[in-house]
Amino acid sequence: MTAIIVEDMQQAAEALERDLENYCPDVKIIGYAGSIVAAAKLLRHSSPDIIFLDILLGDGTGFDLLDIFPDLKAHVIFITASDEHAIRAFRYAAIDYLLKPVEPAELIQAVERARKQTEGTQESLDLLRDTIRRPESALPSRISLASQERISVVEIVDIVRCESDGNNTWFILQSGEKIFVTRTLKQFEQLLVNHGFIRTHQSHLVQIKYIREFQKKDGGYLKLKNEELIPVSVRKRSEVLELLENW
C-alpha cells in the first residue's frame, strides 16, 4: 500500500515514518507535505492508498484538504492531539485517528482497517465534515458502522438495538437489516446514550422509543415493538424501570 504523510512538524513526520517501517513495512511512503498547499499539490500528481493527515497545520486544518478534494479515494487516517470535539466526530464517522504520540498497536490496527475496507469511505468523510462543523452541543443524526469490508452510514433514529458479540457489535435496524460492526458495544454506548439509548444488560443496548413494555417474568425482559424480547440484568432493572416511568 502507498501512503503520504501530511504533517507540519518534521520530527513527528519522521517518527511516524520510522513506526511504519518497523510495524507496517508493506506501507510505502511516496510523499510528504507540511501544509495544505503542499499536500494539495502532492495529491494532484499522486493517488495514495492512505493519507496520514494531521488536523492542525500552519495554513489551515486537515478538513480544509478534504474540502479541496471532496471525492478523495484514499483512506484517511487522522493524527491529532487530544481534541474531544474532533475525537467525538471521528467516532461517529468511524474514521480512524491516531493520538500523538502514536501507539504502534493503534497504528497497526488503523493500517489493517485501511487494507480491508473498500467501500463506504467517502460517505464517512462526508459525515465527518458535517459532524465536525456542528456546535459541540449538537448531536449528529447519523453514524457510520464499519465492518471489515465496508462502512455503512445509517440514521440513528432507525437503530432499534445493538447487541454485543465478543469485541464486535450487531446493529439491528427498524427495517430488519442487521449490520455486523468490528467495534465493542461499550464504544457505541458512549456515543448513543444521549440519543435515547439505554444499556439494559451487559450484551444489549436498546433505543427507548422502540420499547413496548417491561415484562417481569424470568427476572425481567423488555418487549420491543418488533416483538423481540431483550433481557434486563438485575443490576440494570431499577435504572430501566425508572427511565421507562419518566419517558
Side-chain angles (χ1 to χ4, degrees):
M1 299 178 72
T2 59
I4 66 171
I5 296 175
V6 183
E7 167 65 72
D8 61 353
M9 295 179 61
Q10 184 176 352
Q11 186 177 3
E14 291 174 351
L16 178 57
E17 180 183 16
R18 286 195 300 271
D19 285 340
L20 287 167
E21 288 176 351
N22 290 331
Y23 304 107
C24 308
D26 59 333
V27 176
K28 179 182 178 181
I29 305 299
I30 60 172
Y32 303 86
S35 67
I36 298 298
V37 171
K41 291 179 180 178
L42 184 59
L43 284 172
R44 288 192 178 100
H45 299 93
S46 63
S47 300
D49 298 308
I50 303 174
I51 301 174
F52 292 96
L53 181 58
D54 193 10
I55 289 185
L56 297 178
L57 298 158
D59 58 347
T61 72
F63 303 111
D64 296 325
L65 185 65
L66 299 183
D67 288 337
I68 297 172
F69 296 93
D71 298 319
L72 197 62
K73 302 300 182 185
H75 190 101
V76 179
I77 300 176
F78 281 91
I79 305 170
T80 179
S82 182
D83 181 333
E84 287 302 319
H85 183 48
I87 289 172
R88 187 182 76 159
F90 295 142
R91 289 173 177 167
Y92 272 104
I95 295 291
D96 278 307
Y97 66 93
L98 300 170
L99 288 175
K100 298 179 181 179
V102 174
E103 291 289 336
E106 294 179 358
L107 175 62
I108 293 168
Q109 291 172 3
V111 169
E112 190 60 23
R113 282 191 289 268
R115 190 190 322 279
K116 291 179 178 179
Q117 288 173 353
T118 58
E119 300 178 51
T121 302
Q122 188 57 52
E123 283 186 285
S124 277
L125 288 175
D126 291 341
L127 176 56
L128 177 63
R129 289 188 186 93
D130 176 61
T131 305
I132 203 71
R133 288 168 178 160
R134 289 172 175 261
E136 291 192 34
S137 59
L139 294 174
S141 61
R142 298 179 297 158
I143 189 171
S144 289
L145 305 179
S147 66
Q148 287 188 336
E149 290 80 23
R150 64 168 287 109
I151 299 175
S152 303
V153 178
V154 304
E155 297 289 336
I156 293 175
V157 296
D158 292 334
I159 301 170
V160 175
R161 65 182 184 90
C162 314
E163 182 173 344
S164 175
D165 186 348
N167 289 325
N168 306 300
T169 304
W170 283 99
F171 276 72
I172 291 80
L173 307 186
Q174 187 179 15
S175 65
E177 181 184 1
K178 296 183 178 181
I179 301 176
F180 185 74
V181 183
T182 52
R183 294 186 187 274
T184 66
L185 183 63
K186 184 174 180 60
Q187 289 175 288
F188 291 111
E189 180 184 10
Q190 294 168 349
L191 292 178
L192 296 175
V193 66
N194 292 324
H195 290 268
F197 283 74
I198 182 171
R199 188 78 172 261
T200 67
H201 183 277
Q202 183 178 357
S203 300
H204 296 277
L205 183 67
V206 178
Q207 185 161 187
I208 299 170
K209 73 172 190 174
Y210 290 108
I211 298 173
R212 175 172 292 168
E213 61 188 25
F214 177 81
Q215 297 185 354
K216 296 181 179 180
K217 65 178 183 179
D218 299 326
Y221 280 84
L222 292 175
K223 186 174 184 180
L224 306 187
K225 292 179 180 178
N226 63 4
E227 302 301 324
E228 288 185 303
L229 296 177
I230 305 300
V232 176
S233 68
V234 173
R235 186 170 60 87
K236 288 287 186 179
R237 180 173 175 142
S238 60
E239 180 184 343
V240 169
L241 289 175
E242 181 180 356
L243 186 61
L244 292 177
E245 288 172 359
N246 297 317
W247 183 256

